[in-house]
Amino acid sequence: MRIFVTGASGWIGSAVLPELIGAGHQVLGLARSDSAAAAVAARGAEVLRGDLDDLAALRTGADGCDAVIHLAFIHDFSQFESSVRADARAIEAFGAALAGSGKPLVIASGTPATPGRAATERDDPSGAGPAAGRAANARAALALTTRGVRASVVRLPRTVHGEGDHGFIARLVGIARERAVSGYVGDGSSRWPAVHVLDAARLFRLAVERAEGGAVLHATGDEGVPVREIAETIGRHLDLPTASRPAEEFGFLGGLLGVDQPASSTITRSLLGWEPTQPGLLEDLDKGHYFH
């Protein structure tokens, strides 16, 4: 297939591109800057210049390809609502371009939090807060199945880890260095789901190749690692003590770290035969690249 990928130069997109190309697909990657275009081309993909606000470019990319994988999202928590609106407009543009074609559209979203038990692919995120907007966008994408689009959603856990990750785990390492203590919130029993970026990339490929319209998939390798164990591993590598710390010390992360949010991928593994093969989060931390 010829596959249009947004977020092609991002953290997950940088793993998805070689995964798709290695499986024999052609890739057209969206790039909003010269550096992004160079990164996309270096991975063997064709480049389409544009961004999420360039709806004409999004429709052009979708029209000229056999499938779309939508990974791009503006991860700026100071303007999260506007990011959600931009994401919604992009999904609408893809729906208009793909309507009646039967072509696959795979979008990225997040696993829901169902404290006390592992969230499954059948759980429908609801409620208020920043995550509600992304969940609504995921439902809008799935609704495109009624318009002849083979739409599916890959829900990603809180951490997609691997060498080069600058996300939540890297931020925790930075906070530990700044405060000379590797902290966790509360008693540290809250569980944090995770997946290696290469395992996530493989699931996106399987989804675009084989997922049925309306499928909700979970890219979770670690169902839930207790945050205290994450803090202890970071502390061991930095030779720092581990202790419970006030949520405020972690900034916006504090509210997340105190929430129990494990997520299962049992249904996904059964549907697509996906099995994570890369290191889990704690094993990946022990490789040392987060501490260089």
Side-chain angles (χ1 to χ4, degrees):
M1 288 190 287
R2 178 173 166 83
I3 303 171
F4 179 43
V5 180
T6 72
S9 64
W11 169 234
I12 298 170
S14 296
V16 169
L17 262 58
E19 174 69 29
L20 294 173
I21 292 169
H25 300 295
Q26 296 178 332
V27 177
L28 176 65
L30 186 70
R32 61 186 175 90
S33 67
D34 291 342
S35 60
V40 170
R43 290 178 172 84
E46 185 182 342
V47 176
L48 176 65
R49 292 299 296 265
D51 58 29
L52 286 187
D53 291 323
D54 188 347
L55 301 183
L58 299 185
R59 288 190 291 267
T60 296
D63 282 335
C65 290
D66 304 306
V68 175
I69 297 179
H70 176 42
L71 302 173
F73 189 82
I74 304 168
H75 291 280
D76 183 345
F77 286 89
S78 68
Q79 54 176 0
F80 198 87
E81 289 185 3
S82 64
S83 299
V84 168
R85 289 194 295 271
D87 186 46
R89 290 191 295 269
I91 292 169
E92 290 171 3
F94 292 136
L98 300 176
S101 68
K103 293 178 181 179
L105 167 65
V106 182
I107 77 158
S109 191
T111 55
T114 54
R117 67 173 179 83
T120 78
E121 295 87 340
R122 295 194 177 102
D123 286 310
D124 185 19
S126 59
R134 291 207 75 182
N137 287 352
R139 287 192 291 272
L142 294 174
L144 294 173
T145 57
T146 64
R147 296 169 56 190
V149 181
R150 182 161 64 87
S152 61
V153 172
V154 173
R155 291 176 178 167
L156 294 163
R158 301 299 168 267
T159 286
V160 181
H161 58 89
E163 189 163 2
D165 171 29
H166 297 292
F168 290 162
I169 298 300
R171 179 63 184 142
L172 287 177
V173 172
I175 293 171
R177 282 195 170 111
E178 291 167 8
R179 297 189 174 275
V181 59
S182 183
Y184 52 88
V185 173
D187 64 3
S189 63
S190 295
R191 291 165 290 177
W192 189 262
V195 69
H196 195 282
V197 66
L198 297 181
D199 286 324
R202 185 155 41 86
L203 182 55
F204 276 103
R205 175 178 62 79
L206 292 174
V208 79
E209 290 174 344
R210 294 163 37 194
E212 295 182 357
V216 175
L217 307 167
H218 277 191
T220 48
D222 286 311
E223 184 171 292
V225 182
V227 295
R228 179 168 184 161
E229 293 184 18
I230 297 172
E232 289 171 344
T233 303
I234 292 172
R236 175 163 47 81
H237 279 272
L238 297 179
D239 195 22
L240 292 174
T242 303
S244 178
R245 306 299 301 166
E248 295 75 19
E249 290 190 4
F250 300 92
F252 72 88
L253 258 178
L256 294 174
L257 291 171
V259 177
D260 190 43
Q261 47 194 312
S264 166
S265 57
T266 299
I267 295 173
T268 297
R269 298 181 194 214
S270 176
L271 285 174
L272 295 182
W274 176 74
E275 288 292 338
T277 60
Q278 299 298 319
L281 176 55
L282 297 183
E283 183 182 352
D284 202 20
L285 276 167
D286 278 335
K287 289 182 177 294
H289 53 81
Y290 278 97
F291 308 99
H292 292 164

